[in-house]
Amino acid sequence: MVLTEETAFDPQEVAELYGSVGWQGYTRDVDSLCRGLANSHLVITARGEAGALLGLARTVSDDESICYVQDLLVNPKFHRQGIGRALLERLKERYAHCRFFLLSTGHESTPEGRRNHAFYRQLGFLSYEEKKMAGFGLPRTRPARGQADT
C-alpha cells in the first residue's frame, strides 16, 4: 500500500470508492465531490501496488488551530488491513501542531457507528462529551447552491 497526497481526482474512481461505502449523498453529484476534494486542505489516498484506490482521507483546516477530518473511507473489500489506521495516523502526524483535531461519525446506536466508535477509540479519540464539548449541525435539507430558499 502506498499513501500519497493528491490534488487531482478521477470521477469514476472516486465514485466507485464512495459508492463502495454507501455514501450516496456524495455520489449523486460526482463533479461536486471532485471539486470538494480539490478544495480540501489535504487529501491522502491509499493505493494498492497496481494503483487501485483503496481508501482516502481528507481534511478541512486552517493549519494552525484546527483540523477537521471531513472523510475517512476504505473500500470494504480492504477493511481490517490497516489502511484506515494508516491514513488517520498520517493525518494525526501532519496536524499534530493543531489545537483541535476533530471528526464526526454516525451515532453509536447504528451498526456503522458501533464499528467506527471502536476504531476511533483504539486510536485514542474521545467523544465530544468526554472532552466536555458539544457538536451541532444544521438540518441536511438546504437549497442547492445558487438557488433561493423558497
Side-chain angles (χ1 to χ4, degrees):
M1 171 188 60
V2 177
L3 299 183
T4 307
E5 293 183 20
E6 295 193 30
T7 58
F9 307 95
D10 176 85
Q12 181 178 346
E13 184 178 58
V14 167
E16 287 174 10
L17 177 62
Y18 279 77
S20 76
V21 296
W23 291 6
Q24 289 85 13
Y26 286 99
T27 59
R28 283 188 197 109
D29 185 347
V30 176
D31 291 335
S32 174
L33 172 57
C34 288
R35 284 191 305 274
L37 289 168
N39 289 328
S40 297
H41 190 258
L42 177 67
V43 177
I44 298 176
T45 60
R47 294 187 176 274
E49 291 182 21
L53 182 62
L54 310 177
L56 173 152
R58 72 169 166 145
T59 63
V60 178
S61 178
D62 65 6
D63 205 16
E64 292 293 334
S65 61
I66 190 164
C67 174
Y68 182 80
V69 180
Q70 172 67 33
D71 296 339
L72 173 65
L73 62 157
V74 175
N75 184 313
K77 294 178 192 172
F78 304 100
H79 279 184
R80 308 212 48 87
Q81 296 182 28
I83 297 167
R85 177 181 295 271
L87 288 165
L88 199 51
E89 290 290 356
R90 175 74 64 89
L91 293 180
K92 285 171 57 179
E93 289 171 19
R94 166 64 178 80
Y95 293 98
H97 62 283
C98 289
R99 181 173 178 211
F100 294 104
F101 186 84
L102 307 169
L103 57 83
S104 299
T105 191
H107 190 269
E108 202 167 19
S109 65
T110 66
E112 182 180 273
R114 263 192 309 278
R115 184 179 64 246
N116 289 346
H117 284 231
F119 172 73
Y120 293 126
R121 285 185 182 286
Q122 286 177 350
L123 293 170
F125 285 81
L126 300 173
S127 71
Y128 285 5
E129 292 82 15
E130 290 169 310
K131 292 182 62 71
K132 305 284 190 234
M133 296 172 64
F136 297 91
L138 291 172
R140 290 185 186 187
T141 307
R142 302 204 333 244
R145 181 179 279 190
Q147 294 182 354
D149 192 6
T150 55

